[in-house]
Amino acid sequence: MDPSGAEPSDAAVIAASCADPAAFATIFDRHAATLLRFLVRRVGPDAADGLVGESFRIAFERRASYDCSRPSARPWLYGIATNVLAKHRRAEARRLAALARLPRRPGGDTPPAAVDDQVIAQVDARELWPRVAATIAALPPGERDALLLYAWEDLGYEDIAAALGIPVGTVRSRLNRARRRLREQREPACAGGEQPSTHSEDRGRIES
Amino acid sequence: MTDDLEPLRRARPDRLQPDDPIDPAVLSDERERFMSTIDETGTLPITERRTPTIYPRLAYRDEVAALEYLTRVFGFREWRESRMEHATGVLAWLEVGDGVVMIGRAGPEHHDLSSPADAGAVTCMVNVYVDNVDAHYARAAAEGARIVMPLEDMFWGDRRYEALDLEGHRWHFGERLSHVRERLGQS
């Protein structure tokens, strides 16, 4: 939303699009890039191909039932995209496993030309990923959807509730359960140090 | 207190692989396709959508595959907001022109309807008029429809072809010859 208030809200655009369908293009222009990034994070660029369009086509066809008391359509669109993803759980599992196979050091054994913050963040992310991926893979879909909307997409509890069509209390309990699983996953590793074998087990679990 | 979600945030896939490309062409292609969908469906405000007085319901072993097939091969458009997803099967409404077909799963618990793939027989044919049967035929053939009667001009004034879908339901697609001539500028 435009903080200046000069632009009409998503709700106003969607309401107008019921009589003037082409107005819905504004909703695409405002949110398509965000939705594409979300879909790519979840299933990777290949599987995400076409899913943005599918999500927006569904949104367009459901526009008459949009709750116009919500100025931003973003949570609603995240909810639709999440439903679309439900048909692509296998692609998601493949994505989780494929990222776990990335070399720990970007560029393999070749030292990077310069060690900047981005490289450090990347090495850190790759160190963490196998366990994180195993946890994500083991989560029931409802918990996974809520967790990733919260941690990766920065949605708040209210927005997640609106996106997934569930009460806020359910969002809270799903996130609590997911947190507990992440904690349990982490603690044995802290105690036992890093074991290469752990990662191959993780990988097996992701792909199963 | 440490945040249990911190590792998850730090290991977001785009941080893992920052050069993971999002091709800008993907978005512009999607936008183009999306806008053409809007143009097609946009002429009719959805609040005015009505189910015709008579419309068939077809049964499939795999109604989800049928949905994909009928939209891809025959160009039907689904009323996405109407779809009902039950544990026991999906119900969907597909629109073409001013007609609608409903599709669902076959079986004794689904109005005792059978798929031709199980029954070993087809007991009805659905007749559909389209705007351009030549283009429709080309698309269906290219997408792998089983053509059982080729495109032909018939004495009763239709250009038509017949095809079987993925489970053997029989479809008749036609266009009035007067419309064909008009379309080709030969009126």
Side-chain angles (χ1 to χ4, degrees):
Chain A
M1 273 196 304
D2 185 345
S4 74
E7 297 284 323
S9 69
D10 290 342
V13 172
I14 293 170
S17 75
C18 285
D20 172 20
F24 205 84
T26 303
I27 301 298
F28 186 96
D29 293 337
R30 285 180 184 172
H31 302 294
T34 303
L35 237 53
L36 178 61
R37 276 194 294 272
F38 167 61
L39 292 162
V40 169
R41 271 175 207 140
R42 294 285 299 267
V43 295
D46 293 339
D49 191 22
L51 300 187
V52 171
E54 188 180 348
S55 302
F56 274 94
R57 278 188 287 279
I58 295 169
F60 175 72
E61 294 188 356
R62 290 187 183 161
R63 68 196 187 282
S65 60
Y66 182 74
D67 174 1
C68 287
S69 70
R70 299 180 178 281
S72 169
R74 192 160 286 191
W76 178 64
L77 294 167
Y78 266 120
I80 291 169
T82 299
N83 275 336
V84 167
L85 281 176
K87 289 181 288 183
H88 298 273
R89 296 280 179 217
R90 266 196 297 204
E92 189 174 14
R94 280 196 298 274
R95 166 78 165 168
L96 291 169
L99 289 175
R101 284 192 295 268
L102 287 173
R104 286 308 186 78
R105 309 252 170 261
D109 292 334
T110 324
V115 179
D116 57 15
D117 288 351
Q118 198 191 1
V119 172
I120 293 169
Q122 199 177 351
V123 170
D124 169 59
R126 290 187 184 190
E127 292 287 339
L128 291 168
W129 181 257
R131 275 192 292 276
V132 165
T135 310
I136 296 173
L139 287 177
E143 280 179 42
R144 182 192 304 185
D145 290 338
L147 178 70
L148 296 182
L149 286 176
Y150 185 76
W152 286 356
E153 310 301 320
D154 289 327
L155 261 60
Y157 284 25
E158 293 277 350
D159 285 346
I160 295 171
L164 302 181
I166 54 177
V168 176
T170 309
V171 175
R172 195 168 291 125
S173 60
R174 283 186 189 178
L175 286 175
N176 284 342
R177 276 200 299 275
R179 276 200 176 92
R180 198 161 53 234
R181 286 172 202 265
L182 272 172
R183 199 159 50 225
E184 285 161 6
Q185 196 83 34
R186 202 151 45 124
E187 270 154 14
C190 292
E194 204 172 65
Q195 308 274 332
S197 63
T198 316
H199 301 300
S200 60
E201 280 165 27
D202 286 347
R203 207 166 299 161
R205 226 171 310 156
I206 295 161
E207 283 169 339
S208 65
Chain B
M1 192 187 100
T2 58
D3 184 349
D4 297 316
L5 301 186
E6 197 47 36
L8 184 61
R9 288 208 183 83
R10 271 157 50 201
R12 203 169 73 179
D14 37 313
R15 300 206 171 106
L16 225 56
Q17 201 173 26
D19 53 352
D20 196 351
I22 289 192
D23 187 351
V26 170
L27 271 187
S28 59
D29 287 356
E30 288 286 5
R31 189 182 196 279
E32 200 173 308
R33 253 178 294 169
F34 174 65
M35 290 310 291
S36 69
T37 320
I38 284 192
D39 292 342
E40 277 176 37
T41 51
T43 47
L44 186 67
I46 49 178
T47 43
E48 287 172 27
R49 234 174 223 173
R50 290 220 166 77
T51 318
T53 308
I54 179 166
Y55 63 102
R57 171 166 169 170
L58 301 177
Y60 292 87
R61 282 175 180 169
D62 185 344
E63 74 285 5
V64 176
L67 194 52
E68 187 278 326
Y69 181 98
L70 295 172
T71 50
R72 175 173 53 83
V73 180
F74 295 150
F76 288 87
R77 276 197 310 274
E78 188 192 358
W79 289 356
R80 286 301 293 262
E81 76 279 15
S82 304
R83 187 196 288 192
M84 296 172 76
E85 297 184 8
H86 303 295
T88 55
V90 170
L91 278 178
W93 285 257
L94 299 173
E95 172 192 87
V96 60
D98 58 1
V100 172
V101 291
M102 187 180 168
I103 69 169
R105 193 173 291 180
E109 69 281 34
H110 300 284
H111 306 271
D112 215 7
L113 297 174
S114 304
S115 163
D118 294 319
V122 199
T123 58
C124 83
M125 178 165 79
V126 186
N127 294 269
V128 182
Y129 277 118
V130 295
D131 283 338
N132 180 340
V133 76
D134 299 307
H136 197 275
Y137 175 80
R139 172 181 177 162
E143 292 287 348
R146 282 180 286 166
I147 308 294
V148 284
M149 298 281 262
L151 193 62
E152 201 177 351
D153 292 348
M154 307 309 290
F155 71 88
W156 61 84
D158 278 356
R159 177 174 290 185
R160 72 94 175 90
Y161 74 96
E162 292 176 21
L164 300 179
D165 69 20
L166 72 174
E167 294 193 15
H169 285 290
R170 193 171 183 116
W171 298 84
H172 175 288
F173 293 100
E175 181 181 357
R176 295 298 290 162
L177 279 169
S178 55
H179 191 269
V180 172
R181 282 191 294 270
E182 200 180 310
R183 175 162 64 75
L184 299 175
Q186 300 166 355
S187 52

